[in-house]
Amino acid sequence: MKQRLGAQNALYPLPAVLVGALVEGRPNFITVSHLGVLTTGQEEFIGVGLNKVHFTNAGIRQTGTFSVCIPDEKMVELVDYCGLVSGKNVDKSEMFEVFYGELGTAPMVAQCPVCMECRLHQVIDFPDHDLFIGEIVETHAEPEVLQEGRLDLGRIRPLLFDLHGRQYWALGRPLAAAWKAGLKLMEKEQG
Ligand SMILES: Cc1cc2nc3c(=O)[nH]c(=O)nc-3n(C[C@H](O)[C@H](O)[C@H](O)COP(=O)(O)O)c2cc1C
């Protein structure tokens, strides 16, 4: 029989990313793993959950923009550092080579193989957290992480985060083709 753990979120691993915003006029980067895809296709919206105590929140609200940058395995120490120290006490603006795109106010990390710039769509006000919903307006990728023009996870080598084990994980191997692995069962069903 399964053991009850109480209301624990078991949805790990999640990617560990750097969310960038201009705060008081300078770039700040916060490590985030509580984020996700909200819609895809014609509407590309993502949600990022930030505790209200963080320095970054005010910058996102002020500029109405933010970035989500995907670091690779080699950046694990930098990513962890950005999750240990706050822009309230430490200036993180010089840590990375920063670039800007369409929006002009969403700082992105050149060292990250993939960066998305987002326009703030809505903030959902939870008691402890701001849930920032952003529309992706442009995605910037190093050509080396593309395979026939598509983002290739095996080349990006993103960092995965497990809150329960308090560890970063690396990506494993591909398992099966999506929208194909179930075809046999479908065929069986249809006789
Ligand atoms: C792996 C990792 C993931 C984190 N994920 C989140 C998150 O999803 N939301 C959040 O509010 N804080 C998260 N944090 C904590 C913030 O990154 C941390 O408190 C940071 O110092 C805040 O920076 P700021 O005050 O400059 O905005 C995470 C930290 C680590 C190390």
Side-chain angles (χ1 to χ4, degrees), residues 16 28-34 49-51 53-56 79-80 82-88 92 129 161 168:
N28 190 69
F29 297 97
I30 173 176
T31 301
V32 168
S33 69
H34 296 151
L50 296 190
N51 195 299
V53 300
H54 299 321
F55 186 62
T56 309
V79 169
D80 201 53
C82 285
L84 284 167
V85 300
S86 171
K88 284 178 197 161
K92 295 186 255 184
H129 290 79
F161 173 64
Y168 297 96

Side-chain angles (χ1 to χ4, degrees), residues 49-66:
L50 296 190
N51 195 299
K52 289 184 175 176
V53 300
H54 299 321
F55 186 62
T56 309
N57 304 38
I60 299 179
R61 285 178 182 270
Q62 273 158 21
T63 64
T65 61
F66 63 94

Side-chain angles (χ1 to χ4, degrees), residues 18-59:
L18 292 169
V19 168
L22 280 180
V23 193
E24 295 166 6
R26 62 169 206 259
N28 190 69
F29 297 97
I30 173 176
T31 301
V32 168
S33 69
H34 296 151
L35 79 166
V37 177
L38 300 181
T39 59
T40 55
Q42 296 288 72
E43 301 170 323
E44 294 282 1
F45 285 84
I46 54 179
V48 178
L50 296 190
N51 195 299
K52 289 184 175 176
V53 300
H54 299 321
F55 186 62
T56 309
N57 304 38

